[in-house]
């Protein structure tokens, strides 16, 4: 079915307690015609795509009939352009607080019960009846969330982790009631030894398990509470990202500043940003000069100088001067909203390694119940007492809960993608993590990736007898009227160099300890009679001089002005290095050459070195000529170069590398890179690039620094390693623990503690990703802020 005929919605799911709950909901939703759903236990969200034949209300109905709650979320900050809605966070806080109260009350009541059971010397006359009075509220009220969920699931013919806990606690409590009222356990003066093993638990109706009923309830509640806190912490990066946006803005209306909510800003509105304030939305500076802290997007602390004409991104902080900004992108179109959306989408998905855990969790609980019944029957059949058999069966039920399996992958993805967002690395989906493991070749675009992508004036050489300041002043003024990238580079470079040569500037002609010489000021004089010759050059009259700036052949053919040999030699050397040379002539003679180049990023060589250190083979792939490509490759340490290829040729080049057996990652930023990024096994788009490149890539790097490429691969690999470690622990734990419980080596109380610990361990292991810091990263010098998408 065409993509246009499908809709997407995100549902907030309530009532899930383990991975098998998520698997059941996912299975029910996917049974609907035209519906594709992914349910994430860690984020408690369902990402659903569906056809027009299905409505969101029907989806909610399916979830509710399965025994859970579902609701469409409130408008997100990506849609409203405001800070994150507080209601969801408040609801989570209320639920966590209620869980904490239930845990504390249950702990206070259960502690004496467990202590009396574990220390026979403290078992006074009729201690068992005090234990019953204290344990009953815990086994009924404290464990009520498990009982309620188990009943709901039973009505729908399903069994989950709550079923295991509820059956275990109920069986322990019911057996204790029977032993107290109908057996010998209620006799005054009864003493019961404590053991970690099932064999020593006593025989017949003389043993009680109130300590197991109360203790297991407290331990599972503790595990749930720690999980809730840890999951909240794991999503903190995304919440912090969403909350970074400004809440209001000082809009200029009829010359006055009017404070309005950010949601009311429209494209074209001009607003004032004072020092210390957040920039409301993405826009262009119309007046003012300041330093802007873009670290919330780039992960780097170095402020960026901006002035009129520069782009700024919403959520960044104005560090110094007053700025007036014209809104260009608002609401869901802003960079911050797009980043939040990408991270959220990534956290909804599932990595391929998670599918196995989901399949196991879906059938795990019924199998465990069958195993527990089999253990009970086996112990009884081999002549053991009913108490020992019962202890082993309950221990199997309690220790086998598959919580750790369900949390292993989503918590790591949640933390890893959140940490990536803080560092300016956006992981589009969990499947991207798998790609980073096998990558052995990294293909790098040249322009905008290894280089800045912006032409700049690299050198200016005057003919013998001429003053370089005259060259800069006249050529810069003539080029000022052109929008050609080379002309813009000449004009801007000339203005900066003249400012540096102005009196009082360091090393200027009139500066202290410098030789006395006349010099021009830092500005460019006005030009008249400007004419542009497309692709050839420009002419203008500046200070009474007829100035022409352009290619050597054009000057010679059109104006009969040959290039002096020293200038021709300097131009030849520049072009051999992949640079562009233009000549300036006035008053009938060529009097200087200006060298323009797309400069290599200061961090590119270090980034390539890091990629090599990670076992990747770098390849330079560019549409530029061979000579320019080789020069840049040599500058950054790349040996393999593929140059002079068209956009479709880039994708073909990636295919050839893949056909040779290589697993290819591609980093690029332009529309011409989009096909190659999509073809590569792993696409990395520089966030300063085009939307087409970003959409085609699996990873988006918000900052333009190439060091973001090894950072992203390293973070992805680290996240994948944590997922595998979590899954190994979860599977190994159950594989080892169930046989131990079945053979009577664990009491239900110890089984409950071990089960709770396994879940907390998995979540805590995932939280280590919050401390991820790429090794060897340095702030990029001369970095420009990311342009609005």
């Amino acid at each position: 079915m065409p993509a246009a005929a499908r809709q997407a919605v995100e549902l907030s799911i309530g009532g899930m307690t383990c991975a098998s709950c998520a698997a059941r909901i996912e299975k029910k939703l996917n049974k609907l015609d035209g519906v594709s759903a992914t349910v994430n236990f860690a984020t408690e969200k369902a990402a659903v795509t569906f056809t027009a034949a299905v409505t969101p209300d029907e989806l909610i109905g399916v979830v509710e009939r399965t025994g859970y709650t579902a609701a469409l979320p409130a408008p997100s900050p990506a849609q409203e352009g405001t800070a994150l809605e507080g209601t969801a966070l408040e609801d989570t806080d209320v639920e966590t607080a209620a869980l904490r109260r239930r845990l504390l009350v249950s702990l206070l009541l259960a502690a004496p019960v467990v202590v009396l059971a574990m220390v026979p010397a403290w078992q006074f006359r009729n201690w068992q009846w005090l234990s019953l009075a204290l344990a009953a509220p815990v086994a009924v009220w404290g464990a009520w969330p498990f009982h309620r969920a188990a009943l709901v699931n039973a009505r729908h013919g399903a069994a989950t982790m709550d079923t295991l806990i509820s059956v275990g606690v109920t069986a322990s409590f019911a057996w204790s009631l029977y032993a107290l009222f109908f057996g010998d356990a209620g006799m005054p003066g009864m003493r019961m030894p404590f053991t970690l093993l099932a064999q020593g638990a006593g025989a017949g109706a003389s043993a009680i398990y109130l300590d197991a009923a109360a203790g297991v309830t407290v331990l599972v509640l503790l595990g749930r509470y720690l999980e809730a806190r840890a999951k909240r912490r794991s999503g903190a990066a995304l919440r912090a990202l969403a909350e970074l946006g400004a809440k209001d803005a000082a809009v200029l209306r009829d010359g006055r500043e009017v404070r309005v909510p950010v949601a009311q800003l429209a494209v074209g509105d001009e607003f004032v940003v004072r020092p210390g304030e957040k920039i409301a939305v993405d826009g262009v500076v119309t007046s003012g000069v300041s330093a802007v802290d873009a670290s919330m997007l780039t992960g780097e602390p170095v402020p960026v100088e901006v002035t009129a004409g520069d782009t700024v991104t919403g959520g960044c902080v104005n560090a110094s001067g007053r700025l007036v900004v014209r809104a260009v992108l608002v609401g869901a179109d802003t960079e911050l909203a797009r980043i939040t959306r990408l991270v959220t989408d990534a956290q909804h998905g599932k990595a391929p390694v998670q599918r196995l855990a989901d399949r196991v969790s879906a059938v795990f609980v019924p199998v465990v119940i069958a195993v527990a019944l089999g253990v009970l029957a086996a112990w009884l059949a081999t002549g053991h007492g009913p108490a020992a058999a019962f202890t082993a069966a309950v221990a199997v039920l309690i220790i086998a809960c598959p919580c750790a399996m369900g949390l292993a992958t989503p918590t790591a993805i949640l933390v890893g993608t959140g940490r990536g967002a803080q560092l300016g690395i956006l992981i589009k989906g969990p499947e991207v993590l798998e790609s980073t493991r096998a990558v052995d070749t990294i293909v790098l675009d040249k322009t905008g990736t290894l280089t800045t992508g912006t032409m700049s004036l690299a050198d200016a050489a005057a003919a013998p007898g001429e003053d370089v300041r005259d060259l800069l002043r006249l050529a810069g003024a003539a080029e000022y009227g052109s929008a050609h990238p080379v002309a813009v580079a000449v004009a801007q470079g000339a203005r900066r160099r003249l400012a540096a040569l102005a009196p009082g500037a360091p090393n200027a002609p009139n500066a202290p300890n410098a030789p006395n010489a006349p010099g021009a000021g830092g500005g460019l004089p006005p030009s008249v009679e400007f004419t542009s010759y497309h692709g050839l050059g420009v002419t203008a009259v500046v200070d009474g001089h007829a100035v022409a700036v352009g290619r050597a052949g054009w000057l010679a053919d059109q104006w009969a002005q040959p290039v002096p040999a020293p200038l021709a030699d300097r131009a030849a050397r520049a072009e051999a290095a992949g640079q562009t040379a233009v000549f300036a002539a006035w008053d009938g003679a060529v009097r200087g050459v200006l060298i323009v180049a797309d400069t290599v990023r200061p961090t590119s060589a270090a980034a390539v070195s890091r990629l090599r250190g990670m076992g990747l083979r770098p390849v330079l792939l560019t549409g530029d000529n061979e000579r320019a490509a080789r020069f840049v490759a040599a500058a950054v340490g790349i040996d393999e170069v593929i140059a002079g290829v068209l956009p479709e040729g880039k994708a073909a080049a990636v295919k050839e590398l893949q056909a040779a057996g290589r697993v290819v990652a591609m980093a690029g930023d332009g529309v011409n890179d989009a096909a190659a990024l999509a073809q590569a096994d792993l696409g990395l788009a520089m966030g300063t690039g085009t939307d087409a490149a970003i959409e085609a890539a699996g990873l988006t790097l918000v900052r333009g620094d190439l060091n973001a490429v090894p950072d992203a691969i390293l973070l992805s690999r680290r996240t994948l390693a944590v997922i595998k470690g979590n899954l190994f622990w979860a599977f190994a734990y159950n594989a080892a623990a169930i046989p131990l419980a079945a053979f009577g080596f664990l009491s239900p109380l110890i089984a409950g503690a071990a089960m709770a610990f396994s879940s907390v361990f998995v979540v805590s292991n995932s939280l280590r990703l919050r401390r991820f810091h790429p090794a060897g990263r340095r702030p990029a010098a001369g970095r420009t802020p990311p342009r609005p998408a």
Side-chain angles (χ1 to χ4, degrees):
M1 178 164 292
R6 298 186 68 84
Q7 304 176 57
V9 71
E10 176 192 274
L11 299 177
S12 297
I13 307 295
M16 290 194 299
T17 55
C18 65
S20 54
C21 297
R24 285 186 57 229
I25 298 170
E26 191 172 291
K27 183 178 180 181
K28 292 287 186 181
L29 287 172
N30 285 324
K31 280 185 176 179
L32 294 176
D33 289 337
V35 172
S36 175
T38 299
V39 181
N40 192 313
F41 171 49
T43 60
E44 297 181 336
K45 304 285 186 183
V48 189
T49 59
F50 55 97
T51 62
V54 181
T55 65
D57 288 340
E58 289 181 73
L59 300 173
I60 292 173
V62 168
V63 176
E64 290 177 343
R65 287 193 296 275
T66 309
Y68 305 89
T69 63
L72 294 170
S76 69
Q79 296 164 324
E80 294 290 336
T82 60
L84 189 68
E85 292 291 329
T87 53
L89 298 181
E90 290 165 6
D91 290 344
T92 304
D93 289 339
V94 169
E95 292 173 8
T96 305
L99 183 57
R100 183 172 60 248
R101 284 194 301 272
R102 190 179 296 270
L103 168 63
L104 291 176
V105 172
S106 298
L107 177 61
L108 289 174
L109 294 173
V113 178
V114 174
V115 170
L116 287 173
M118 294 179 68
V119 186
W122 292 2
Q123 293 173 0
F124 53 86
R125 186 178 177 85
N126 292 323
W127 68 273
Q128 65 271 41
W129 296 103
L130 175 63
S131 293
L132 175 62
L134 294 174
V138 179
V140 178
W141 174 79
W144 178 244
F146 314 128
H147 300 322
R148 182 181 57 210
L151 290 171
V152 170
N153 290 322
R155 284 204 302 268
H156 293 87
T160 66
M161 166 192 163
D162 294 291
T163 306
L164 300 181
I165 299 300
S166 179
V167 170
V169 170
T170 301
S172 299
F173 187 67
W175 179 280
S176 300
L177 290 177
Y178 171 79
L180 285 169
F181 288 100
F182 301 103
D184 300 332
M187 298 295 292
M190 186 274 282
R191 294 279 184 107
M192 188 179 73
F194 175 77
T195 178
L196 297 178
L197 306 180
Q199 291 96 321
S206 62
I208 60 174
Y209 295 95
L210 295 173
D211 59 321
V216 166
T217 298
V218 169
L219 288 167
V220 177
L221 285 173
L222 176 62
R224 288 279 177 89
Y225 176 65
L226 293 176
E227 282 175 23
R229 287 189 59 194
K231 286 197 290 185
R232 178 173 171 78
R233 287 173 61 201
S234 66
L238 179 57
R239 286 193 296 272
L241 188 69
E243 291 170 343
L244 282 173
K247 295 176 176 58
D248 54 29
V251 181
L252 293 175
R253 300 270 168 84
D254 299 324
R256 295 184 303 109
E257 294 183 22
V258 180
R259 282 277 168 186
V260 301
V262 170
Q264 295 181 14
L265 277 178
V267 174
D269 283 347
E270 290 194 346
F271 57 93
V272 176
V273 188
R274 291 183 172 79
E277 291 184 340
K278 294 177 181 177
I279 298 168
V281 294
D282 300 354
V284 176
V285 177
T286 58
S287 67
V289 177
S290 181
V292 171
D293 179 4
S295 59
M296 69 100 182
L297 287 176
T298 65
E300 296 186 27
V302 182
V304 180
E305 295 293 333
V306 297
T307 185
D310 290 335
T311 59
V312 289
T313 306
C316 297
V317 178
N318 180 18
S320 54
R322 178 181 184 271
L323 295 175
V324 177
V325 180
R326 184 177 70 254
V328 174
L329 296 173
V330 299
D333 296 326
T334 63
E335 179 83 354
L336 180 59
R338 185 176 65 87
I339 290 173
T340 304
R341 197 160 51 245
L342 282 172
V343 177
T344 303
D345 290 345
Q347 293 181 345
H348 285 166
K350 292 186 179 180
V353 292
Q354 188 179 352
R355 300 293 176 183
L356 175 61
D358 286 349
R359 288 195 295 270
V360 171
S361 296
V363 299
F364 194 75
V365 174
V367 170
V368 168
I369 292 176
V371 169
L373 292 174
V375 167
L376 179 65
W379 277 67
L380 292 173
T382 53
H384 291 84
F390 175 79
T391 304
V394 171
V396 169
L397 286 174
I398 291 171
I399 204 166
C401 296
C403 262
M405 291 186 204
L407 293 168
T409 299
T411 52
I413 290 173
L414 195 65
V415 181
T417 53
R419 181 59 181 148
Q422 291 178 324
L423 296 171
I425 300 166
L426 307 182
I427 303 171
K428 184 171 286 187
E431 63 281 352
V432 172
L433 302 175
E434 293 281 355
S435 303
T436 62
R437 176 186 54 171
V439 165
D440 56 26
T441 301
I442 177 75
V443 175
L444 301 168
D445 174 48
K446 181 178 78 71
T447 305
T449 303
L450 288 169
T451 67
T452 62
T454 303
M455 304 293 280
S456 61
L457 183 62
D459 193 17
E466 299 293 339
D467 190 334
V468 71
R469 286 164 297 181
D470 290 337
L471 169 64
L472 293 169
R473 190 166 53 86
L474 298 177
E479 292 277 46
Y480 189 77
S482 173
H484 192 279
V486 172
V488 171
V490 169
Q492 292 181 346
R495 186 167 52 187
R496 282 194 296 267
R497 290 186 179 222
L498 287 170
L501 293 172
N507 302 319
N510 293 334
N513 304 320
N516 252 344
L524 297 175
S527 63
V528 295
E529 300 181 25
F530 172 83
T531 305
S532 175
Y533 298 83
H534 183 67
L536 299 172
V538 300
T539 60
V541 175
V542 183
D543 285 350
H545 299 282
V547 181
V549 183
R551 298 177 180 273
W554 176 67
L555 291 173
D557 296 342
Q558 190 76 15
W559 309 102
Q561 296 175 356
V563 176
L567 297 183
D569 291 342
R570 178 66 188 90
R573 292 198 305 273
E575 290 171 350
Q579 299 172 320
T580 299
V582 294
F583 298 89
W586 63 87
D587 298 339
V590 175
R591 302 177 186 270
V593 63
L594 300 130
I595 310 300
V596 175
D598 178 8
T599 55
V600 175
R601 293 184 188 275
T603 55
S604 291
V608 170
S609 176
R610 287 182 61 199
L611 290 167
R612 285 186 181 278
M614 294 165 62
L616 301 180
R617 180 176 176 181
V619 177
L620 176 59
L621 177 63
T622 179
D624 210 341
N625 64 74
E626 181 84 14
R627 188 167 53 185
R630 290 286 176 189
F631 177 81
V632 171
V636 299
I638 296 177
D639 302 322
E640 191 171 348
V641 176
I642 304 172
V645 292
L646 297 173
E648 57 270 23
K650 288 190 174 185
V654 171
K655 274 186 183 178
E656 288 179 12
L657 291 171
Q658 291 169 326
R662 299 200 206 176
V663 182
V664 180
M666 164 80 185
D669 74 322
V671 173
N672 61 336
D673 298 319
L677 288 169
Q679 175 63 41
D681 299 284
L682 174 65
L684 302 100
M686 308 300 284
T688 49
T690 64
D691 290 341
I694 290 169
E695 287 300 318
L699 285 165
T700 300
L701 313 173
V702 175
R703 65 186 194 272
D705 179 7
L706 189 65
N707 261 315
V709 173
D711 289 355
I713 294 175
L714 193 60
L715 173 61
S716 297
R717 287 181 172 178
R718 187 76 55 82
T719 304
L720 185 62
V722 169
I723 290 173
K724 289 183 174 180
N726 286 348
L727 286 172
F728 171 79
W729 166 262
F731 281 113
Y733 162 82
N734 280 284
I738 292 177
L740 286 176
F743 285 103
F745 292 109
L746 293 175
S747 72
L749 188 63
I750 302 303
M755 183 274 295
F757 172 75
S758 68
S759 298
V760 174
F761 173 85
V762 162
V763 178
S764 300
N765 189 45
S766 298
L767 287 172
R768 292 189 303 115
L769 288 167
R770 296 178 70 195
R771 300 192 297 272
F772 172 82
H773 289 285
R777 205 187 84 194
R778 297 181 178 86
R783 177 177 49 80
T784 57
R787 70 169 188 83

